[in-house]
Structure formats: C-alpha cells, structure tokens
Amino acid sequence: MLDLQAFAEWVRDTNLSVSIRESILMFPIIEGTHLLGIGASAGAIAISDLRMMGKIFRNEPVSDVFNGVLPWMTIGFIVMTITGFLLMWSEPTRCYESIWFRYKVLFLFLGAANAGFYHNTIYRKRAVWDKDPDPPRGAKIAGVASLFIWALVIITGRTMAYNF
C-alpha cells in the first residue's frame, strides 16, 4: 500500500518542488496563472449555470450559451489543473496535512460528479428545452449545485493558501 506521507516527503525533496518553492518568481507566477485559470473557468461555468437556471440570456438557446463559453471553460480548466498540480508539487507535505486541501479535493470530485450527471442526463435531452426561457427543474438544480460546489472549491483553495 502507498504511504502518502512518505510520498509527499519524497516529492518535497525533488528538484522541481525545491525549484518552485525557493524561486523568487516561479511560485508567484504559477499562483497568479492559477488564479487567472480559475477566473476564466469559474466565470464560464457561472455563465453556463446561470443560463441553466434561467437567470440570464433567457432568449438564447442553452446550447448556444454553453458552446460560447466552452472554450474559456476548457482553457481555464486546463491552465488551472496544470498550475494547481505544480502548486501542490511545490508544497506536498503541507497539502497532505491540510484539511482544506482534503476538502478541496472532495469538492472537486463532487463538481465533476455533478457535471457528469448533468451532461449524461439533463443536457442530453436539451433539444426538448434548449430554447425555453425557463429550463426544467433538473437543469436548475444542477446549476445551483454547480455554482455552490465550485464556490466551495475556490473558497477551500484560498483558505488553504492562508492556513498553512
């Protein structure tokens, strides 16, 4: 069985981890880029979720709104994932010991599960309700859950940064 504490200590001592952690510029650049990725991805997700809830762009088809924000959502998520991995790699033992990191990972999984549920059930039937200004209840619930979960991901991530 993998000893996560020992693995975190090994990662902490790797050249990449030390380079990021001890560099004057590398850590702040990675963290700033991570925040930009969050802004792009979370902003696009919020627009999509608010349309699913029927709160904005009520006269636009859901598929048009989703397709319009999808590139921002995807690019932001890729940037956020790469930079998040690098931030975690730079301080693995702190992440391992942080309750906020564990909550963040939990909420990331919940966000992915919510997105998977929405896309595999409700969004597949969008042809029926795509142009409706008032989406079905399932879409609204998925939108509210998504906004709430991704807000928790951001909050726990920022809390992590200030509670080491």
Side-chain angles (χ1 to χ4, degrees), residues 88-107:
M88 186 214 44
W89 196 268
S90 73
E91 300 181 313
T93 52
R94 286 183 171 181
C95 291
Y96 174 78
E97 294 168 356
S98 171
I99 189 69
W100 299 108
F101 179 76
R102 294 173 189 210
Y103 282 133
K104 179 176 181 168
V105 171
L106 171 68
F107 295 135

Side-chain angles (χ1 to χ4, degrees), residues 16-17 55 112 151:
L16 178 62
S17 180
K55 300 295 181 190

